């Protein structure tokens, strides 16, 4: 496993969510790479939303790391990216309420994501979905395997 400045293991991660109907059956996928090592994770839920699957993919990917890591995290979800880069601090300040004083949707997952992000040094990278990015395409395929796993 490579390390950043010899301190933290370096991990590149791509995550994606999929939903067949919104709400409907959904899946999530995460592809993790560290040096020569790689790991594929996926799962599904019978009744969910695309946003919940996008969040779950990131949570489960970060949760799979046993030690603090320097993570370059690639997501194609504007919802996840905006939440982490813009909205989360205000939600926490406002007692998990939006600027309009309404409860934050998917609060359970945002709290879990906040907890997982705190365990690592995360650099967020937004990628356009279905644009040929190898990691994003791989994570998308894993998310679809998550949906398919519900049929087994």
């Amino acid at each position: 496993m490579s390390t950043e400045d010899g301190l933290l293991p370096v991990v590149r991660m791509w995550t994606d969510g999929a939903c067949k109907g919104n709400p409907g059956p959904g899946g999530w996928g995460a592809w993790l790479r560290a040096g020569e090592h790689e790991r594929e994770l996926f799962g599904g839920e019978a009744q969910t939303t695309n946003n919940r699957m996008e969040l779950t993919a990131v949570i489960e990917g970060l949760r799979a790391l046993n030690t603090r890591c320097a993570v370059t995290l690639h997501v194609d979800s504007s919802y996840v990216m905006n939440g982490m880069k813009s909205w989360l601090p205000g939600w926490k300040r406002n007692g998990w309420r939006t600027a309009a004083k309404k409860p934050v949707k998917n609060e359970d997952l945002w709290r879990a994501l906040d907890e997982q992000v705190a365990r690592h040094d995360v650099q967020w990278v937004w990628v356009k979905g279905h644009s040929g990015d190898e990691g994003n395409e791989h994570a998308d395929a894993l998310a679809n395997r998550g949906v398919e796993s519900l049929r087994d």
Side-chain angles (χ1 to χ4, degrees):
M1 194 177 289
S2 57
T3 59
E4 179 181 286
D5 298 326
L7 301 175
L8 294 178
V10 174
V11 176
R12 296 180 69 206
M13 184 184 309
W14 291 263
T15 64
D16 201 11
C19 210
K20 307 304 179 190
N22 200 17
W28 59 269
W31 186 36
L32 292 72
R33 297 182 72 185
E36 296 177 8
H37 305 283
E38 68 177 68
R39 186 166 178 198
E40 296 177 332
L41 304 169
F42 64 90
E45 290 184 25
Q47 189 68 10
T48 190
T49 65
N50 190 67
N51 283 342
R52 288 189 69 81
M53 291 295 89
E54 294 282 359
L55 287 164
T56 300
V58 180
I59 293 163
E60 294 301 330
L62 292 172
R63 189 176 279 155
L65 302 173
N66 296 325
T67 61
R68 184 171 183 81
C69 296
V71 181
T72 302
L73 185 46
H74 303 81
V75 298
D76 68 359
S77 167
S78 295
Y79 178 67
V80 171
M81 184 64 84
N82 287 333
M84 291 309 298
K85 300 296 265 181
S86 300
W87 306 330
L88 189 66
W91 291 341
K92 289 168 68 174
R93 243 187 345 266
N94 295 334
W96 293 95
R97 298 271 178 193
T98 66
K101 307 288 188 239
K102 299 199 183 304
V104 171
K105 289 181 182 174
N106 304 311
E107 176 185 344
D108 58 331
L109 295 177
W110 284 112
R111 284 180 180 264
L113 180 54
D114 188 38
E115 182 180 305
Q116 291 303 314
V117 168
R119 295 178 51 233
H120 304 286
D121 179 3
V122 179
Q123 175 188 359
W124 294 89
V125 178
W126 187 82
V127 296
K128 183 176 167 82
H130 309 287
S131 64
D133 179 275
E134 176 192 8
N136 180 256
E137 298 296 336
H138 196 105
D140 179 67
L142 290 170
N144 282 295
R145 280 177 63 190
V147 177
E148 293 163 14
S149 73
L150 298 172
R151 298 186 188 120
D152 297 340

